[in-house]
Amino acid sequence: MNKHDSERVAGMLESMGAVSVDSIEEADIVVFMTCCVREAADTRLYGQVASMKNVPLRSGTPLDKRIVAVGGCIGQRDGQKLLDALPHLDVVFGTHNIGSLPHLLSASVNEGKRDVEVLDASSSFPTDLPSHREHSWAAWLPITIGCNNFCTYCIVPYVRGREKSRALEDIVAEAQRYVDAGVKEITLLGQNVNSYGRDLYGIPRFAEVLDAVDATGIKRLRFATSHPKDLTDEVIAKFGTLRSLMPALHLPVQSGSNAILASMNRRYTKEHYRGLVDKLRRACPDIALSTDVIVGFPGETDKDFEDTYRLVEEIGYHQVFTFIYSKREGTPAAKIDDPTPHEVIQKRFDRLVEAVQDHAWKANQADLSTTVEVLVEGSSKRDSSLLAGKTPKNQTVHASIPSGLSIEDLRGRFVDVKIDQAKTWYLSGEVVDGSIHD
């Protein structure tokens, strides 16, 4: 969602006559789009904004000073506190009023104003705003904003607001525009896409969204994020029937302990979660599952952690995003005292990470010596002679750029790659002759 919001900010700035640059040193305007799910993001933001005072202005700039703005979740939460703490910060806006940025920037440039505008709720979706997409072949498509779940560790409902669904016809119309413009992959976005439509229609209608977007002719369809308590049999079945729906699902479990899940207010059990995984694998035997796990949630015992460890071992995820619990002031979990020493939590975390890496390596071995279709995103960051792209299962693939071609010839196109190496976090191989296609 933050990436989508950033694309809207870029679109608005371009509509004002600004152009994007590759470095902060070249920028007259710098906008930080922020997340406050974990404490590390707060620390980085304050440090990076403070560092702006040491970056000289580019020669020839028409401005007397660089304009610095902060938006997103930290802007929504902290508001005036940011301006008070960071004297060279000019503009703060929240999650509900991205569209206010142009007039806030204009006031800062023309009148020297330092201003905060944070609203309690939004009257429209950010999709109504101009956009500059990061990639011409891929698009984020929000179908809901906000969240009604109130997991006890999570700050999101307080900074993103209550759940609000877009009309189905608006979603389909936007998807069709993307397809007509040559987009190859659409990712549907929401804090909990599975509950889409409950506020508009009385019941969730996410399965209908998948059918309707598939019917636009999109080549690849994905979605995030999926809450286990609302994942229905109807949606699960789509992984076995829809042409465009990719065989990959991010299904956050957070913990394998029923006691911790209850304390987190997740509203499902590990048994229910395991049942969902079984259904998904019956519908799509080759599905690649990823998840989130929090280690060290307040009150987690050795037994609770062992339950989580066993669940991760049993399911065998392709990817697990592991986090040490980060206290967020204003959430119920922040009030829970926990005497567990940090070194105990760190040992649990390290042990889990080792298991995660082992299972990720094993999962990738299934694709060794197979040929996979890859959507090329660009060149490898470590080796410009290699292309980098994604498989239907969202695995990263590297392969040599075919002789006589440049990465620009391949970016946003499909190639077939014969896999000859399967590592923990990526696959590599050779492009099959004559396999490049749109």
Side-chain angles (χ1 to χ4, degrees):
M1 192 65 79
N2 226 357
K3 281 181 173 288
H4 173 267
D5 288 349
S6 297
E7 290 179 349
R8 299 292 165 177
V9 166
M12 286 188 294
L13 290 171
E14 289 185 358
S15 71
M16 296 171 68
V19 294
S20 64
V21 292
D22 294 328
S23 69
I24 286 176
E25 288 77 9
E26 299 176 79
D28 301 312
I29 300 168
V30 177
V31 183
F32 291 89
M33 295 301 292
T34 63
C35 171
C36 61
V37 168
R38 301 180 68 222
E39 184 178 10
D42 285 57
T43 304
R44 282 199 302 271
L45 172 73
Y46 278 82
Q48 289 181 10
V49 174
S51 72
M52 288 297 96
K53 65 179 182 290
N54 300 319
V55 181
L57 284 170
R58 68 179 177 89
S59 61
T61 177
L63 302 184
D64 296 328
K65 68 179 292 292
R66 178 178 288 106
I67 305 300
V68 180
V70 169
C73 292
I74 295 179
Q76 181 74 26
R77 184 196 65 192
D78 289 356
Q80 184 64 42
K81 284 173 55 180
L82 283 163
L83 279 192
D84 295 340
L86 298 163
H88 51 288
L89 179 61
D90 302 287
V91 170
V92 178
F93 60 103
T95 59
H96 301 305
N97 64 320
I98 294 175
S100 299
L101 183 59
H103 79 76
L104 292 169
L105 289 176
S106 294
S108 182
V109 171
N110 297 322
E111 305 168 35
K113 291 181 64 176
R114 302 178 70 227
D115 205 358
V116 176
E117 184 175 304
V118 175
L119 305 181
D120 292 332
S122 57
S123 58
S124 62
F125 275 82
T127 45
D128 299 333
L129 301 170
S131 178
H132 177 91
R133 296 202 316 276
E134 182 179 5
H135 304 300
S136 62
W137 65 88
W140 310 105
L141 203 171
I143 65 171
T144 70
I145 54 175
C147 184
N148 291 345
N149 288 316
F150 290 93
C151 301
T152 58
Y153 55 82
C154 187
I155 196 70
V156 168
Y158 306 96
V159 292
R160 287 280 181 183
R162 301 296 79 78
E163 189 172 274
K164 182 179 179 182
S165 302
R166 292 178 72 187
L168 179 57
E169 54 269 26
D170 291 346
I171 295 169
V172 176
E174 184 174 357
Q176 191 64 64
R177 289 196 297 271
Y178 287 142
V179 172
D180 294 344
V183 168
K184 312 290 177 59
E185 180 174 287
I186 289 175
T187 302
L188 305 176
L189 293 181
Q191 300 302 143
N192 178 16
V193 292
N194 291 331
S195 62
Y196 166 82
R198 184 177 279 132
D199 57 319
L200 290 181
Y201 310 113
I203 57 171
R205 294 177 60 180
F206 183 50
E208 293 179 49
V209 175
L210 294 175
D211 282 334
V213 176
D214 175 76
T216 64
I218 188 65
K219 289 183 171 62
R220 287 187 173 186
L221 177 60
R222 305 184 189 275
F223 58 85
T225 295
S226 190
H227 197 298
K229 76 178 178 64
D230 294 314
L231 181 59
T232 65
D233 291 350
E234 188 179 13
V235 170
I236 289 172
K238 300 301 177 186
F239 282 98
T241 60
L242 283 189
R243 168 198 53 80
S244 65
L245 186 58
M246 294 292 96
L249 176 63
H250 187 68
L251 191 65
V253 67
Q254 306 300 1
S255 175
S257 161
N258 286 341
I260 295 298
L261 288 171
S263 186
M264 289 177 167
N265 192 36
R266 291 292 287 175
R267 287 177 279 177
Y268 56 83
T269 63
K270 65 180 177 184
E271 290 80 13
H272 176 76
Y273 186 94
R274 280 304 310 268
L276 294 175
V277 170
D278 291 343
K279 290 177 182 178
L280 285 161
R281 286 179 168 157
R282 284 197 295 270
C284 180
D286 200 34
I287 194 167
L289 297 174
S290 59
T291 198
D292 298 333
V293 173
I294 296 173
V295 176
F297 184 82
E300 181 186 73
T301 65
D302 286 341
K303 180 183 181 303
D304 294 324
F305 173 75
E306 290 301 328
D307 286 346
T308 299
Y309 188 89
R310 279 195 298 273
L311 185 71
V312 169
E313 289 263 283
E314 291 167 5
I315 291 177
Y317 295 98
H318 270 72
Q319 191 169 17
V320 180
F321 298 92
T322 51
F323 306 95
I324 290 178
Y325 169 74
S326 179
K327 181 185 289 189
R328 301 284 75 197
E329 293 301 329
T331 62
K335 301 175 183 177
I336 304 174
D337 291 328
D338 186 17
T340 308
H342 176 76
E343 56 267 26
V344 171
I345 295 173
Q346 187 66 54
K347 285 181 180 178
R348 293 173 184 168
F349 178 83
D350 293 343
R351 183 177 164 216
L352 183 63
V353 167
E354 186 176 340
V356 165
Q357 292 175 342
D358 181 53
H359 284 291
W361 183 87
K362 289 177 180 176
N364 277 344
Q365 301 314 300
D367 292 296
L368 191 60
S369 300
T370 67
T371 298
V372 297
E373 183 184 67
V374 176
L375 177 55
V376 180
E377 297 182 342
S379 56
S380 167
K381 294 178 180 178
R382 295 186 177 181
D383 186 344
S384 61
S385 70
L386 301 178
L387 63 83
K390 295 290 188 179
T391 71
K393 292 193 290 188
N394 210 33
Q395 300 149 298
T396 296
V397 173
H398 296 148
S400 297
I401 298 172
S403 177
L405 296 177
S406 71
I407 193 61
E408 294 307 321
D409 298 319
L410 300 172
R411 201 188 303 270
R413 304 183 74 188
F414 294 100
V415 299
D416 293 337
V417 176
K418 178 67 179 295
I419 302 302
D420 55 31
Q421 288 190 74
K423 302 293 187 179
T424 302
W425 304 125
Y426 68 91
L427 307 173
S428 64
E430 296 297 325
V431 174
V432 176
D433 289 343
S435 69
I436 301 169
H437 60 286
D438 292 318

